[in-house]
Amino acid sequence: AQSVSQHNHHVILSEAASLELGCNYSYGGTVNLFWYVQYPGQHLQLLLKYFSGDPLVKGIKGFEAEFIKSKFSFNLRKPSVQWSDTAEYFCAVSPGKSTFGDGTTLTVKP
Amino acid sequence: NAGVTQTPKFRILKIGQSMTLQCTQDMNHNYMYWYRQDPGMGLKLIYYSVGAGITDKGEVPNGYNVSRSTTEDFPLRLELAAPSQTSVYFCASSYSGGQGTDTQYFGPGTRLTVL
């Protein structure tokens, strides 16, 4: 069975700071990896995903994530956060039924 | 495409009442899911389905029932509502067909309060 661990429960940053959210997974086979974002009061939506090819994937709003197979990691990054990035971020792994991490709440102070 | 739709958006129940949360998707996805989300607690999978006629329990199935008679619809039934079922409920769907698939699409959620 697959599992996902997100290291940070709550991250607080000032605008223009750089962001890195950790995600590690466990699964023995080929995986699809996802980051979803949930803005306050809204539902989850896809931020980016990786399934093959270039391990550095780019998503919406300047976010990117790097898949490091040897470390079973898929960390999310953004060079300069904005107040509007305040949200909860979920890492997930599949195949089939995805397993979600517990989420990281990001608060960006203006 | 409407994507994933859920009704109702809000509902208040009294203890012991029952209700059905409706979920419909128009993307011909084979997988559908029900989650609950409590403040600061992430997503908890209640039930999921890999196709019409097939359902399976998730992490927190007690107090809930589901059915999947069509590809499009996946209703969630609450019997004998309890205050512990106060939560936001999200329905989601995905197409699972191997590598590169499995992206989940979420509905707008139903905010349920049991008093």
Side-chain angles (χ1 to χ4, degrees):
Chain A
Q2 58 229 33
S3 66
V4 178
S5 175
Q6 292 184 238
H7 313 302
N8 317 98
H9 293 296
H10 195 177
V11 173
I12 301 173
L13 295 173
S14 298
E15 274 193 316
S18 64
L19 170 72
E20 181 159 2
L21 301 182
C23 173
N24 285 92
Y25 69 93
S26 66
Y27 184 72
T30 302
V31 294
N32 299 312
L33 294 159
F34 308 86
W35 276 98
Y36 292 85
V37 60
Q38 185 179 28
Y39 297 106
Q42 297 188 25
H43 59 277
L44 276 76
Q45 56 188 289
L46 182 69
L47 195 57
L48 50 77
K49 69 178 180 182
Y50 171 82
F51 58 92
S52 70
D54 189 343
L56 184 64
V57 292
K58 296 189 184 299
I60 58 172
K61 302 188 179 185
F63 285 90
E64 64 181 29
E66 184 174 14
F67 169 54
I68 303 179
K69 189 174 182 179
S70 60
K71 295 185 178 181
F72 297 90
S73 70
F74 190 54
N75 292 353
L76 182 70
R77 300 195 293 246
K78 186 172 184 179
S80 176
V81 295
Q82 301 174 319
W83 175 80
S84 58
D85 294 325
T86 294
E88 191 156 14
Y89 293 82
F90 293 90
C91 181
V93 62
S94 75
K97 173 176 71 66
S98 290
T99 299
F100 285 80
D102 288 337
T104 297
T105 301
L106 172 65
T107 301
V108 180
K109 295 184 174 181
Chain B
N1 284 356
V4 180
T5 57
Q6 290 182 237
T7 56
K9 287 188 169 56
F10 303 93
R11 184 73 186 267
I12 298 174
L13 284 181
K14 294 182 179 177
I15 294 171
Q17 288 184 320
S18 60
M19 76 165 294
T20 299
L21 281 66
Q22 301 291 346
C23 176
T24 300
Q25 54 95 6
D26 63 359
M27 296 173 282
N28 201 32
H29 285 168
N30 48 356
Y31 280 46
M32 294 188 75
Y33 314 82
W34 274 106
Y35 297 92
R36 60 176 288 172
Q37 186 177 35
D38 301 318
M41 298 298 289
L43 291 174
K44 301 295 183 188
L45 182 65
I46 304 171
Y47 272 96
Y48 69 102
S49 167
V50 301
I54 307 169
T55 62
D56 208 347
K57 295 178 181 178
E59 304 169 69
V60 290
N62 291 345
Y64 307 94
N65 276 300
V66 293
S67 60
R68 184 125 180 247
S69 56
T70 67
T71 298
E72 296 78 20
D73 300 307
F74 191 41
L76 177 72
R77 178 83 177 162
L78 278 72
E79 305 281 4
L80 297 174
S84 61
Q85 294 179 304
T86 293
S87 190
V88 180
Y89 291 84
F90 290 102
C91 179
S93 71
S94 67
Y95 171 69
S96 184
Q99 199 174 14
T101 62
D102 299 333
T103 299
Q104 291 196 21
Y105 296 82
F106 286 79
T110 295
R111 187 174 295 274
L112 176 67
T113 302
V114 182
L115 300 174

